[in-house]
Amino acid sequence: MTPEPIGVITSGLPLAPILTPLGLGLLLLLPMRRRWRVTLALASALLTLAFALLLMNATTGGVLVSELGGWKAPFGIVMAADRLGSFMSALAALCGVFTVWLMAAQPDPVRERHHSFALTSFLFAGVQLSFLTGDLFNLFVAFEVMLVASYALTVLGSTREQLREGFRYIVMNLSASALLVVACGLAYGTLGTLNFAHLAQRSAALGPNTTVTAVGVLLLIVFAAKGALFPLGFWLPGTYPAVPPATGAFFGAVLTKVGLYALIRVFTTVFNQDPGLPDTLLLLLGAVTMLYGALGAVSQREWRRILSFTVVGSVGYLAFGLGLDSPDALRASLAYLAVSVVVTLAMFLIAAVAERASGTRLVRARGFIEFLPLLAACFLLCALTVAGLPPSAGFVAKFDLVRAGLEGGTALAYAATASALLSSLITLYALLRVWSGFFWGRHPVSEPVRRVRWPERLPAYLASALVAALTVFAGPLLGYARGTADELGSNASYILGVLGEGPLDLPAPPTGDEVQQPEDAP
């Protein structure tokens, strides 16, 4: 008996986390009272999170596909959600809730008059589209939706710092987007498709091929620029401190991870038949980026500049794990990715409270443990997690990364592992210096302490509680990461999930009968 071909699981669920912030973002453009605007923005963020969690639960059983207009892959545009895409969608949606919460707690009449809530919703929609699109060209579209919103949020306010840093941010990302268009053209010219699953199928049939490898390296450069890997991430440490604290928290926690997600997608699902050169480049870039991020953090004196460099360092760890190209390293990278997103969010929210309380961006305020003892404890927990000290979740993930690096067996893998260990020590020193500089000691009587209301402090405390929860639930986190790494280890399930097992049927050309009825029809 001939087995039934595996069918594609079609569902509207992958569209829900994209359309929710997009649709409600359009509504936020309408004139309304601030109370209604805040309610709508919070409802949008919470609904997006609910849909993302439902998607994450549904994709444990396979890949879900949304076919736009009823056109099947690879001929039509599809949204495809596997374990990795839904995992990233949920992490981004979680950060979105905290971002809107802080925006609601810190009124900003000037930016709100210029639709900062709507722009933030469009940013969320672009990020969700990045994680759930099933083809390379729509990944470019997603980047543009995301970046246009982020450009506007970066320069909204028009301070000299914002315009200077926003210009560098825009020029760098536009250049990377132009390269991405070139890469899309080369991929289509070589393989005749842009659908991820179809690209994987055709590149596997072609085998190791110089042109395909060149396309992969070009994509690596593009996504390295989006992910702020050294030396292409020079724009990040100046840009993130220039935006408002709530926006900066989302930028720091999520935006660079979109570039890393694209690297994981391309080099595990799509182009995995000739990994030698991309892996070498990723190891090299990862090793240098880790050190650059750690040394940059030591060199800074302002809260969010220090944290921006730790974001750069975290990207280096992810590139290091991806470049090791082993199942254990990929599992550790995915676990570290989750930890990095949550702890970066918490650190930026803590910085927002600290800056508000001290009235300065500098960390040399001293003695704030007396006024904000819980915030001091939260920062210490997050600092240990970022540095990767036990018993934090950061230690669990970094320990696995270092072990995978030692098992790499090459000189470059050993060098990158040494860089990871050294960077952790330097980052720990940088963050402990922040803690001692801001919280420890006696506060100068001449310096005022500004009151920070509970609605402004609570997001920082809850995000720190999530960091602690990751430590408690490190086992389930590693289990989910293992399942995701196993799914990525063989792209067969993704290809079958999107294209199905049967032969590809070209859709029949339109005849006109679909829209025209005969004149004598009843």
Side-chain angles (χ1 to χ4, degrees), residues 140-190:
F140 162 75
V141 173
F143 279 159
E144 293 314 296
V145 172
M146 180 179 73
L147 291 173
V148 166
S150 66
Y151 298 155
L153 286 168
T154 302
V155 299
L156 207 58
S158 301
T159 64
R160 179 177 296 180
E161 182 189 16
Q162 281 183 303
L163 295 177
R164 185 185 64 242
E165 300 300 336
F167 179 75
R168 290 203 299 180
Y169 176 64
I170 291 169
V171 169
M172 184 65 203
N173 279 283
L174 283 180
S175 304
S177 296
L179 269 184
L180 181 53
V181 173
V182 173
C184 288
L186 288 174
Y188 191 81
T190 307

Side-chain angles (χ1 to χ4, degrees), residues 35-325:
R35 182 177 55 185
W36 290 109
R37 188 173 287 123
V38 166
T39 304
L40 199 57
L42 272 175
S44 170
L46 288 169
L47 271 175
T48 305
L49 177 60
F51 286 130
L53 291 175
L54 284 175
L55 193 59
M56 195 172 158
N57 181 56
T59 49
T60 54
V63 180
L64 295 188
V65 175
S66 291
E67 298 167 342
L68 273 63
W71 286 73
K72 295 183 180 300
F75 307 110
I77 297 172
V78 296
M79 298 298 118
D82 61 349
R83 289 173 66 102
L84 175 63
S86 60
F87 183 54
M88 297 303 298
S89 169
L91 285 174
L94 178 68
C95 294
V97 172
F98 280 92
T99 301
V100 175
W101 185 352
L102 189 58
M103 288 176 71
Q106 292 185 342
D108 189 338
V110 174
R111 290 186 173 86
E112 289 174 19
R113 193 164 57 247
H114 291 91
H115 302 291
S116 58
F117 280 109
L119 289 169
T120 305
S121 281
F122 297 146
L123 175 65
F124 296 164
V127 168
Q128 293 291 337
L129 181 58
S130 302
F131 295 142
L132 298 173
T133 182
D135 69 84
L136 194 55
F137 185 74
N138 277 294
L139 182 62
F140 162 75
V141 173
F143 279 159
E144 293 314 296
V145 172
M146 180 179 73
L147 291 173
V148 166
S150 66
Y151 298 155
L153 286 168
T154 302
V155 299
L156 207 58
S158 301
T159 64
R160 179 177 296 180
E161 182 189 16
Q162 281 183 303
L163 295 177
R164 185 185 64 242
E165 300 300 336
F167 179 75
R168 290 203 299 180
Y169 176 64
I170 291 169
V171 169
M172 184 65 203
N173 279 283
L174 283 180
S175 304
S177 296
L179 269 184
L180 181 53
V181 173
V182 173
C184 288
L186 288 174
Y188 191 81
T190 307
L191 298 167
T193 182
L194 289 177
N195 181 276
F196 286 144
H198 207 202
L199 278 172
Q201 204 176 46
R202 289 199 164 177
S203 62
L206 205 59
N209 178 282
T210 308
T211 308
V212 174
T213 302
V215 173
V217 170
L218 190 57
L219 288 172
L220 188 150
I221 294 169
V222 171
F223 299 142
K226 303 283 187 187
L229 282 169
F230 183 86
L232 303 171
F234 63 88
W235 50 270
L236 189 151
T239 303
Y240 288 5
V243 298
T247 309
F250 189 81
F251 279 21
V254 176
L255 287 200
T256 53
K257 307 306 185 296
V258 178
L260 267 296
Y261 161 81
L263 283 173
I264 296 172
R265 175 64 72 204
V266 166
F267 292 108
T268 59
T269 304
V270 183
F271 300 135
N272 59 1
Q273 68 281 355
D274 188 16
L277 181 57
D279 286 350
T280 303
L281 287 173
L282 283 170
L283 270 181
L284 193 59
L285 293 176
V288 179
T289 305
M290 287 184 281
L291 274 178
Y292 170 67
L295 293 172
V298 172
S299 69
Q300 299 298 312
R301 297 292 180 271
E302 293 182 8
W303 270 99
R304 284 187 286 156
R305 283 189 180 272
I306 294 169
L307 297 183
S308 295
F309 274 104
T310 65
V311 171
V312 173
S314 71
V315 171
Y317 282 96
L318 292 167
F320 162 54
L322 187 58
L324 289 171
D325 192 25

Side-chain angles (χ1 to χ4, degrees), residues 268-475:
T268 59
T269 304
V270 183
F271 300 135
N272 59 1
Q273 68 281 355
D274 188 16
L277 181 57
D279 286 350
T280 303
L281 287 173
L282 283 170
L283 270 181
L284 193 59
L285 293 176
V288 179
T289 305
M290 287 184 281
L291 274 178
Y292 170 67
L295 293 172
V298 172
S299 69
Q300 299 298 312
R301 297 292 180 271
E302 293 182 8
W303 270 99
R304 284 187 286 156
R305 283 189 180 272
I306 294 169
L307 297 183
S308 295
F309 274 104
T310 65
V311 171
V312 173
S314 71
V315 171
Y317 282 96
L318 292 167
F320 162 54
L322 187 58
L324 289 171
D325 192 25
S326 71
D328 286 344
L330 186 56
R331 182 197 65 169
S333 297
L334 294 171
Y336 181 78
L337 178 63
V339 174
S340 175
V341 168
V342 177
V343 78
T344 302
L345 174 75
M347 290 287 261
F348 271 84
L349 294 175
I350 289 170
V353 178
E355 287 179 353
R356 179 61 72 103
S358 62
T360 174
R361 289 182 175 185
L362 296 173
V363 294
R364 295 291 177 190
R366 299 194 67 78
F368 269 82
I369 194 169
E370 181 184 348
F371 311 105
L372 297 165
L374 186 53
L375 196 75
C378 290
F379 181 82
L380 198 55
L381 168 70
C382 293
L384 296 178
T385 305
V386 172
L389 259 65
S392 69
F395 169 76
V396 175
K398 280 193 177 178
F399 178 79
D400 270 3
L401 274 175
V402 168
R403 189 170 59 181
L406 293 176
E407 290 171 355
T410 64
L412 187 55
Y414 291 142
T417 307
S419 171
L421 292 170
L422 182 60
S423 303
S424 291
L425 287 176
I426 298 172
T427 303
L428 178 65
Y429 168 72
L431 295 179
L432 288 182
R433 206 171 58 151
V434 173
W435 195 86
S436 62
F438 187 83
F439 293 107
W440 200 246
R442 183 177 293 279
H443 184 75
V445 179
S446 58
E447 296 293 332
V449 177
R450 293 167 176 78
R451 179 176 173 269
V452 184
R453 296 175 299 119
W454 268 100
E456 295 177 67
R457 281 186 276 167
L458 206 50
Y461 296 153
L462 285 181
S464 301
L466 286 177
V467 174
L470 285 178
T471 303
V472 176
F473 296 104

